[in-house]
Amino acid sequence: MNEPVVGSKSFAAVAINCASKAGEWIKTKLGNYQRLDEKMSPHDLVTEVDKGSEKLIRSLIMMNFPSHSFLGEEGVEPGPEASARALESVRDAEYLWIVDPVDGTTNFVHGFPFFVVSIALAHKGEIILGVVYDPSADELFIAEKGKGAYVHGKRMSVSGEETLRSSLVATGFPAEHRTALPRNLEQLRRIAPKVRNIRSSGSAALHLAYVAAGRLSGFWEIGLNSWDIAAGALLVQESGGAVGDIDGTPYHLGVRDVAATNGQIHGELLAELAD
Ligand code: IPD
Ligand code: CA
Ligand code: CA
C-alpha cells in the first residue's frame, strides 16, 4: 500500500484514531440522544449522534489528508438513487474514504449494544484499508490490503464449515419494504431450513466483521450502501473469506446485495439465494 508523505500519519493510524474517538463518543451518548428523525421510511433512522460522529471523522481525515475524497452516509440524501449518484461522483478519486459513522442506528436508539463505526479507504476504486470499531465490546477490527486482518492485534481467519447444514449465518431485514423486504423474506424462507441457524443483529458492518473473525459462517443482505459494506468486505477478504454480489459478481464499491462467507459455503449459499 502507498504510504502518505513522510511526516504525516499512516492511513491506518488515522483510521484507528477516528474510529476509536468516534466510537467512545457514541458510547457516551447511548440512551442519551436528543433528536430522532426518520429518513426514507420509519425503519431508517438518524440521530444527531450519527451526524456528530461523521463530522468528527470527516474533520480528522481532512486535517490529515486534505486532498483525499470523502463519502459519508450523512452527507448523502436518503434513498438508493442518491447514494448511487454520490458514489459515482467520487468513485474514480485517487483516495476515497467511505464512512458509516454509526452502523446499527436502530440498535443504538434502543440501547442494543450492536453498532459500530465503519471506515474504509479506497485507492483508485480498490479498498486498501478497512476499520470496524465496536465500542460496546471495545473490539477494533482492521484489515490492510495484502497484510491480513486483525482483531485486538490477533490475526483473524474465517470459520471452517463446509456445508450450509453446519453453518451459522446472518442476514439483515431491509429498511425498504416494497421490494427488498419481500425478497429477503423469501430468501429467509428458503435458507432457514438448510442452515444450523440464522441471526439478524442489525449492523451489516459488524456482521461482516464476525464473518471475518470466524464467528459467523456467512452473511447476506440486499439493498445495502457502499458505506455499510466497504470496510467489512476487506476484513472478510483478508481473513480468507469470499465476498461479492449475491449474483456471483466479485466485490466492487457498487455492490448493494452482498453475500460474504468463509468461502467454503459460498457456492451453496449463492445457489439458495438465486431468485
Ligand atoms: C443499517 C444496518 C442494518 C441493515 C440496514 C442498514 P444504519 O445501517 O447496517 O443492519 O439491515 O440495511 O441500513 O442505517 O444503521 O447505518
Ligand atoms: Ca449503515
Ligand atoms: Ca449509519
Side-chain angles (χ1 to χ4, degrees):
M1 160 167 131
N2 287 339
E3 292 299 325
V5 287
V6 176
S8 69
K9 289 199 189 130
S10 81
F11 300 146
V14 171
I16 291 169
N17 188 30
C18 288
S20 45
K21 283 223 168 69
E24 287 314 314
W25 180 71
I26 295 163
K27 211 165 90 171
T28 67
K29 295 284 173 182
L30 191 57
N32 189 25
Y33 61 87
Q34 307 292 320
R35 204 193 143 113
L36 177 63
D37 290 310
E38 291 174 6
K39 292 167 101 178
M40 65 175 189
S41 79
H43 315 281
D44 192 10
L45 306 177
V46 63
T47 70
E48 84 282 2
V49 177
D50 300 70
K51 293 175 185 163
S53 171
E54 181 157 319
K55 202 167 157 200
L56 189 154
I57 296 166
R58 187 185 187 118
S59 59
L60 280 173
I61 288 175
M62 293 331 267
M63 197 173 77
N64 283 280
F65 309 113
S67 66
H68 289 190
S69 298
F70 186 93
L71 176 65
E73 178 177 16
E74 305 312 333
V76 177
E77 290 297 312
E81 293 80 17
S83 81
R85 274 198 307 276
L87 175 62
E88 248 357 273
S89 70
V90 283
R91 125 180 246 162
D92 295 331
E94 189 178 12
Y95 286 103
L96 171 65
W97 292 84
I98 304 173
V99 171
D100 192 334
V102 180
D103 186 58
T105 299
T106 304
N107 288 342
F108 169 75
V109 163
H110 287 265
F112 183 93
F114 201 87
F115 50 84
V116 295
V117 177
S118 176
I119 300 176
L121 175 62
H123 179 240
K124 297 185 176 158
E126 186 189 18
I127 309 288
I128 55 170
L129 169 68
V131 171
V132 169
Y133 179 53
D134 169 358
S136 311
D138 189 23
E139 284 195 316
L140 188 129
F141 303 86
I142 180 165
E144 287 183 78
K145 184 90 200 157
K147 294 190 187 170
Y150 296 82
V151 58
H152 269 310
K154 193 169 168 284
R155 184 105 190 217
M156 295 195 288
S157 54
V158 291
S159 64
E161 295 80 37
E162 292 175 1
T163 60
L164 283 185
R165 216 176 143 188
S166 55
S167 288
L168 181 66
V169 301
T171 189
F173 301 118
E176 194 280 290
H177 284 192
R178 201 175 50 82
T179 55
L181 184 63
R183 264 182 86 202
N184 179 246
L185 293 178
E186 171 56 24
Q187 294 167 337
L188 255 182
R189 195 188 60 75
R190 285 201 303 266
I191 286 169
K194 301 263 163 73
V195 293
R196 183 167 279 162
N197 219 319
I198 301 191
R199 302 288 178 257
S200 183
S201 303
S203 163
L206 193 49
H207 279 136
L208 288 165
Y210 275 28
V211 173
R215 300 171 189 175
L216 287 168
S217 328
F219 165 71
W220 90 95
E221 182 164 345
I222 56 177
L224 289 171
N225 291 301
S226 55
W227 45 77
D228 302 309
I229 307 172
L234 187 64
L235 292 174
V236 172
Q237 288 169 337
E238 289 294 325
S239 301
V243 58
D245 192 289
I246 62 171
D247 70 6
T249 311
Y251 174 74
H252 58 86
L253 292 184
V255 167
R256 310 186 73 94
D257 301 341
V258 75
T261 70
N262 64 3
Q264 305 200 60
I265 62 160
H266 211 77
E268 207 188 339
L269 182 69
L270 293 194
E272 293 299 333
L273 290 174
D275 285 318

